[in-house]
């Protein structure tokens, strides 16, 4: 899926719903378009976000080269799309809407790294996952002096991937996904759902 790209994960109910929620929030924040039927429970959350101070940008493509400098999307060494970026002087807020289960990942740190690289005037970034089901926001605050720590966090993982590329070694790692959730049905560990 990620290396050979010969298997494409088909859309699921959950991913289609996630796409609709992202689109509704984008138009709600960007143009003030009312949330559609079935999403009005998020009006309070959307109002809170819409009232945050600063210039708002939706669905922002953020791409960097291997020197952590801004790069074209198609030539990126690392890249991601911010659902909502709010820039207010030397401060920024970078939010990601999540429709799945609440869990924390290093994505907040990664997106802070992108924001510092692309907006040199920004010295503080608050990144957050907006958990739509729970109507909660998990936030982390980063300052520009943490930029070296941010990238040092990711480099070991990148080195492992580079090593796997060089050796063309991609061993299967069985997990709960093998039980009917993984799209790689040709894998020796794949089993249909019971
Ligand atoms: S079936 Fe399991 S081991 Fe095989 S690719 Fe999928 S997740 Fe990995």
């Amino acid at each position: 899926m990620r290396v050979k790209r010969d298997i494409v994960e088909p859309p699921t109910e959950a991913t289609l719903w996630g796409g609709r929620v992202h689109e509704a929030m984008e138009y709600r924040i960007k143009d003030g378009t009312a949330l559609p039927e079935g999403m009005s429970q998020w009006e309070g959350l959307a109002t809170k976000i819409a009232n945050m101070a600063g210039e708002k940008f939706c669905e922002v493509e953020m791409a960097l080269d291997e020197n952590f400098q801004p790069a074209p999307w198609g030539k990126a060494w690392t890249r991601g799309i911010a659902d909502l970026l709010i820039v207010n002087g030397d401060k920024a807020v970078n939010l990601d809407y999540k429709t799945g289960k609440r869990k924390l990942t290093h994505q907040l740190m990664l997106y802070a790294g992108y924001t510092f690289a692309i907006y040199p005037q920004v010295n503080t970034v608050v990144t957050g996952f907006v958990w739509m089901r729970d109507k909660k926001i998990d936030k982390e605050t980063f300052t520009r002096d943490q930029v070296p720590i941010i990238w040092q966090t990711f480099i070991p993982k990148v080195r492992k991937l580079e090593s796997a590329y060089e050796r063309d070694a991609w061993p299967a790692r069985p997990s709960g996904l093998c039980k009917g959730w993984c799209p790689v049905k040709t894998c020796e560990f794949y089993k249909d759902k019971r």
Side-chain angles (χ1 to χ4, degrees), residues 1 171-191:
M1 287 165 62
R173 293 203 311 186
S175 69
L177 293 174
C178 308
K179 295 175 188 161
W181 301 102
C182 177
V184 190
K185 296 189 176 173
T186 50
C187 176
E188 60 181 302
F189 296 103
Y190 181 84
K191 286 190 179 71

Side-chain angles (χ1 to χ4, degrees), residues 33-102:
T33 307
L35 292 168
E37 206 182 324
M39 297 189 196
S40 56
Q41 70 272 28
W42 293 316
E43 182 49 42
L45 185 67
T47 302
K48 192 173 155 190
I49 294 171
N51 288 340
M52 291 170 89
E55 199 173 357
K56 298 180 182 70
F57 307 94
C58 297
E59 300 295 316
V60 185
E61 291 185 345
M62 299 186 296
L64 304 185
D65 64 19
E66 57 195 329
N67 297 313
F68 315 115
Q69 297 302 309
W73 183 257
K75 293 192 175 168
W77 177 78
T78 177
R79 67 186 187 183
I81 297 177
D83 291 339
L84 176 64
L85 182 69
I86 306 173
V87 180
N88 188 18
D90 69 346
K91 296 184 177 57
V93 176
N94 194 325
L95 296 178
D96 193 18
Y97 308 123
K98 296 284 188 195
T99 49
K101 280 193 199 147
R102 195 171 175 185

Side-chain angles (χ1 to χ4, degrees), residues 68 109 113 116 143-156:
F68 315 115
M109 181 184 258
F116 285 126
T143 50
R144 185 166 283 281
D145 59 313
Q146 290 174 283
V147 167
I149 296 167
I150 292 174
W151 296 120
Q152 280 162 22
T153 301
F154 292 101
I155 289 297

